[in-house]
């Protein structure tokens, strides 16, 4: 059904049929997600949040390099964060880095954009985590690829892929994840 929707939208971009087809699929989409039941909240949430709250001090810089007459850019970003919490095992120093590029991608007669971003963060916990018996270390690599393409004057297609590799000596934080999404944006 998504492929049919894309075909119809690309074939009839500037007609009333584009709007009718979009709102039909949007209505079906909303009905589907309204039927999904939200999981109950944990009774331990307020208790654990209390020990993670505290002071957060950070400093960072972003640097953009524009090219292709200002239509594209490279992004370099770095931030260091010092979080001091009420619960000593949650106090850490974090290092965050980002590299990215965004450029126009002309497809058909509309101007789309292509975006690739790499994010790195490292959290060095300063105190011993009781469940580990030593200091906790978290490292995460994230790669995100995004393609945005206008389909008509008020409708845009967004394709997104995200890869996350989280490495930690705390097993519950150690995971690899692949996320792919397709979204339609409406502006009016």
């Amino acid at each position: 059904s998504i492929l049919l929707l894309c075909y119809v939208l690309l074939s009839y971009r500037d007609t009333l049929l584009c709007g009718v087809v979009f709102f039909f699929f949007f209505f079906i989409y909303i009905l589907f997600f309204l039927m999904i039941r939200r999981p109950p909240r944990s009774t331990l949430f307020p208790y654990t949040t209390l020990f993670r709250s505290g002071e957060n001090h950070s400093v960072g810089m972003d640097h953009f390099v524009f090219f292709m007459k200002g239509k594209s850019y490279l992004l370099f970003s770095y931030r260091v964060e010092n979080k001091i919490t009420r619960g000593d095992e949650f106090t850490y120093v974090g290092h965050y880095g980002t590299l990215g590029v965004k450029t126009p991608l002309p497809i058909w007669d509309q101007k789309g954009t292509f975006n690739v971003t790499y994010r790195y963060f490292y959290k060095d916990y300063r105190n011993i985590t009781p469940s580990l018996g030593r200091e906790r270390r978290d490292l995460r690599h994230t790669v995100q690829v995004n393609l945005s393409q206008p389909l008509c004057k008020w409708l845009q297609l967004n394709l997104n892929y995200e890869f996350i590799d989280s490495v930690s000596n705390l097993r519950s934080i150690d995971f690899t994840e692949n996320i792919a999404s397709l979204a339609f944006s409406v502006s009016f």
Side-chain angles (χ1 to χ4, degrees):
S1 65
I2 296 297
L3 294 175
L4 176 65
L5 173 64
C6 291
Y7 174 76
V8 170
L9 290 175
L10 293 174
S11 300
Y12 302 101
R13 280 189 292 232
D14 296 324
T15 64
L16 182 61
L17 182 59
C18 178
V20 171
V21 169
F22 169 76
F23 283 110
F24 171 75
F25 281 100
F26 180 74
F27 179 73
I28 298 297
Y29 176 80
I30 291 296
L31 281 179
F32 174 77
F33 281 102
L34 285 177
M35 291 187 288
I36 297 175
R37 191 172 151 248
R38 198 184 85 152
R41 292 185 180 182
S42 171
T43 56
L44 294 177
F45 181 72
Y47 176 75
T48 57
T49 304
L50 175 67
F51 292 108
R52 285 184 280 186
S53 62
E55 297 178 15
N56 191 1
H57 306 280
S58 65
V59 64
M61 68 104 194
D62 296 327
H63 183 71
F64 291 88
V65 177
F66 291 93
F67 59 98
M68 291 178 57
K69 298 181 181 177
K71 295 178 181 179
S72 301
Y73 65 82
L74 292 170
L75 164 66
F76 305 96
S77 175
Y78 175 75
R79 182 173 58 119
V80 64
E81 175 181 85
N82 185 18
K83 185 162 185 173
I84 303 166
T85 60
R86 292 182 185 164
D88 288 339
E89 68 268 17
F90 297 112
T91 297
Y92 67 85
V93 173
H95 299 274
Y96 302 85
T98 303
L99 297 172
V101 62
K102 183 173 183 178
T103 187
L105 189 63
I107 300 176
W108 301 291
D109 60 344
Q110 303 281 338
K111 295 264 180 164
T113 58
F114 179 72
N115 188 3
V116 177
T117 307
Y118 168 75
R119 290 185 188 92
Y120 165 87
F121 86 69
Y122 175 72
K123 288 185 180 178
D124 183 10
Y125 289 82
R126 294 298 180 186
N127 298 301
I128 293 176
T129 302
S131 61
L132 289 173
R134 61 178 185 246
E135 291 180 4
R136 178 175 151 192
R137 305 260 190 278
D138 293 348
L139 174 66
R140 183 177 293 183
H141 300 276
T142 303
V143 177
Q144 187 174 24
V145 179
N146 184 291
L147 174 65
S148 298
Q149 177 63 44
L151 299 176
C152 57
K153 187 185 283 188
W154 48 268
L155 183 62
Q156 182 170 325
L157 171 69
N158 297 307
L159 297 171
N160 191 36
Y161 172 74
E162 188 171 6
F163 171 77
I164 302 170
D165 184 27
S166 180
V167 180
S168 177
N169 55 357
L170 183 63
R171 286 187 178 252
S172 61
I173 309 296
D174 200 15
F175 66 92
T176 300
E177 191 171 47
N178 291 285
I179 304 168
S181 63
L182 169 71
F184 292 95
S185 304
V186 177
S187 59
F188 51 93

